[in-house]
Amino acid sequence: MEYKQVLRGYYDTENKVKAIDLLTDQPYYIEDRPDMKQRVERAINFKQLLAIYQRGTRNGFKYIEQNDFNQPTEQKVIKQNKMIGKPDDFIISDLKWKYLTRCIDKGKNLMFVGPAGTGKTQIVFKAAEALEKPIFYFNLGSTQDVRSALIGNTYFKDGTYFEESAFVTAIKTPGAVILLDEISRANPEAWNILMPVLDVNIRKLRLDEKENSPVIDVANSVSFISTANIGFEYTAARSLDRALVDRFSIVEMDILDKDQEMKLLKLKCPHLDPVVNEALCDISFRVRMECERENSKLSSIISTRTLIEAAEMSIDGFSIDEIAELIIYPHYSDEGGTDSERIYIRQLIQKYIQKGDKEDLFTDDDFRALDNYDF
């Protein structure tokens, strides 16, 4: 039997009866049809579909089971995005991993924001690898000659010739992942060049350094993934142009809690002493808690990158106090004397440091003896 409409009923947020025509995937208007509302509501209650067919000059109605209804072969089937397996040596929420891989798979633009050292760049490489996509890396924060890096160079030797940049090669590669790292540190001229490239309605780059200024189209399924450090502590970062930001979907990078950091260090450094693992992650946790307080005495957290380096140094024979001296204290200012960030972080870490052999440490009896000592 050929149906004119096949209605799937549902209750909306105000508990009103609504219906969708499955043949067109469009809402079916029943607000002024009490008879239709009753039919659709009956179908809802019995978990059925309401089919409408032509019966002479009038409509006929039939209730059919949902499993018995076959979508027309010509109807577009929407492919659900299944989550690609996450990497074993990286911790990120299922939701953000699924969204990242979905954006890459569909050739969309995505911006990861968050503190330095949280793995924003690394996770993009892992996603491209999981999806078996070619990836091109461009560090915009260290790019000095923007036009040369993004467009190309004109050379004068035995005539004039133009050499396209690696960026042009990248955008002409179908399915490529183009990682625009440190976009918040880029020269504003780079932003201006990228504007039409990132615009979903344009996706073009003009090679105005080349003769006749040809226009290059971005290839199919190319995704642009950028990273940005955003916050008052990043003094070298620029305030991103609103029009540029609007060309991306924004995702905040996860900041790991203590248990997640301990799990990560165990994954990255399986030979790390568990006691040292907990001490390092507890230091990181207490620093993070201080940074989140109002009127905090510290301006920045200990990054995941620094924490992993500290774990590797411990395996190589460095003590916690040596690690702190080399790679933690330099991140905190010593301005302000006894009220400086450096003094605060030193006092915090000193609680985790044991100097000398246990025989050399003061015992409770030693402290009691000092209390009774007659000066």
Side-chain angles (χ1 to χ4, degrees):
M1 180 181 293
E2 184 176 350
Y3 299 126
K4 294 171 59 179
Q5 289 94 22
V6 177
L7 306 184
R8 178 175 64 82
Y10 66 96
Y11 295 105
D12 68 6
T13 55
E14 297 179 353
N15 211 33
K16 293 180 180 179
V17 178
K18 297 292 180 67
I20 292 176
D21 181 4
L22 296 181
L23 297 181
T24 62
D25 201 30
Q26 296 294 321
Y28 187 85
Y29 189 74
I30 61 173
E31 276 72 6
D32 295 335
R33 297 280 306 277
D35 59 324
M36 288 299 296
K37 279 188 179 181
Q38 291 177 1
R39 293 187 179 99
V40 170
E41 189 162 23
R42 179 191 182 283
I44 295 172
N45 293 335
F46 285 93
K47 298 182 179 179
Q48 294 176 317
L49 303 174
L50 176 63
I52 304 173
Y53 60 94
Q54 192 70 40
R55 190 179 63 182
T57 59
R58 304 178 63 182
N59 286 334
F61 302 95
K62 180 181 179 181
Y63 296 98
I64 60 177
E65 300 301 322
Q66 297 190 25
N67 294 336
D68 295 336
F69 174 66
N70 295 319
Q71 295 282 86
T73 56
E74 67 272 12
Q75 184 168 341
K76 182 179 179 181
V77 178
I78 298 176
K79 178 184 175 183
Q80 288 190 342
N81 185 60
K82 296 182 179 179
M83 191 173 79
I84 306 296
K86 291 194 300 182
D88 295 331
D89 59 346
F90 198 96
I91 296 177
I92 184 174
S93 71
D94 289 348
L95 180 62
K96 292 179 182 179
W97 172 256
K98 182 178 180 180
Y99 188 56
L100 169 61
T101 53
R102 175 258 186 188
C103 287
I104 291 176
D105 192 46
K106 290 184 173 291
K108 293 183 177 289
N109 303 338
L110 178 66
M111 180 185 293
F112 266 119
V113 300
T118 50
K120 299 186 295 295
T121 302
Q122 186 183 9
I123 195 59
V124 180
F125 276 97
K126 290 187 176 295
E129 180 182 359
L131 292 166
E132 298 181 345
K133 298 270 191 177
I135 184 168
F136 297 85
Y137 174 80
F138 300 94
N139 189 324
L140 298 181
S142 62
T143 301
Q144 301 299 321
D145 187 348
V146 172
R147 300 191 68 80
S148 173
L150 296 181
I151 297 176
N153 285 308
T154 300
Y155 294 95
F156 304 94
K157 183 178 181 181
D158 299 328
T160 302
Y161 70 96
F162 175 79
E163 184 177 9
E164 294 180 351
S165 68
F167 182 74
V168 174
T169 301
I171 67 173
K172 293 195 296 184
T173 305
V177 179
I178 299 179
L179 176 52
L180 304 173
D181 206 16
E182 304 283 1
I183 197 170
S184 52
R185 297 177 184 270
N187 188 300
E189 186 177 2
W191 299 347
N192 293 333
I193 294 172
L194 290 171
M195 287 286 193
V197 178
L198 297 171
D199 192 316
V200 67
N201 297 313
I202 301 176
R203 302 265 289 184
K204 296 179 184 293
L205 175 66
R206 181 177 294 278
L207 305 183
D208 50 12
E209 298 289 332
K210 190 175 182 179
E211 186 178 1
N212 299 324
S213 300
V215 174
I216 301 296
D217 291 323
V218 176
N220 292 330
S221 301
V222 171
S223 60
F224 294 92
I225 313 296
S226 67
T227 69
N229 296 326
I230 295 177
F232 66 90
E233 67 264 40
Y234 303 109
T235 56
R238 306 175 193 272
S239 178
L240 285 170
D241 185 278
R242 178 68 188 183
L244 180 72
V245 173
D246 282 345
R247 284 161 166 75
F248 293 93
S249 297
I250 310 295
V251 171
E252 292 182 336
M253 193 62 190
D254 292 327
I255 297 178
L256 305 183
D257 59 28
K258 179 182 174 181
D259 290 340
Q260 289 173 324
E261 286 182 333
M262 289 182 65
K263 179 181 178 182
L264 180 64
L265 292 191
K266 187 175 180 180
L267 288 171
K268 295 283 190 181
C269 307
H271 301 297
L272 179 64
D273 185 333
V275 175
V276 175
N277 185 338
E278 181 158 13
L280 291 175
C281 293
D282 199 51
I283 292 170
S284 173
F285 167 75
R286 293 183 183 280
V287 169
R288 186 163 57 252
M289 291 300 99
E290 174 61 27
C291 289
E292 292 176 359
R293 283 197 321 111
E294 190 175 355
N295 301 322
S296 171
K297 295 180 180 179
L298 298 176
S299 60
S300 61
I301 65 173
I302 297 175
S303 71
T304 304
R305 182 191 298 130
T306 300
L307 204 60
I308 293 172
E309 174 65 13
E312 293 174 351
M313 290 174 66
S314 176
I315 293 174
D316 292 337
F318 290 86
S319 63
I320 290 181
D321 56 330
E322 291 171 334
I323 293 169
E325 195 70 43
L326 290 169
I327 66 170
I328 295 179
Y329 297 151
H331 288 281
Y332 298 93
S333 171
D334 58 1
E335 295 181 3
T338 57
D339 292 329
S340 68
E341 290 188 346
R342 183 77 59 88
I343 292 296
Y344 182 89
I345 198 75
R346 278 185 180 277
Q347 291 174 339
L348 188 155
I349 292 179
Q350 284 300 316
K351 299 174 184 177
Y352 298 86
I353 296 174
Q354 290 185 347
K355 294 185 177 180
D357 296 329
K358 288 186 177 180
E359 291 78 5
D360 298 331
L361 297 177
F362 274 87
T363 65
D364 290 340
D365 291 337
D366 294 325
F367 282 110
R368 279 192 290 271
L370 282 175
D371 290 338
N372 297 327
Y373 185 79
D374 185 6
F375 289 95

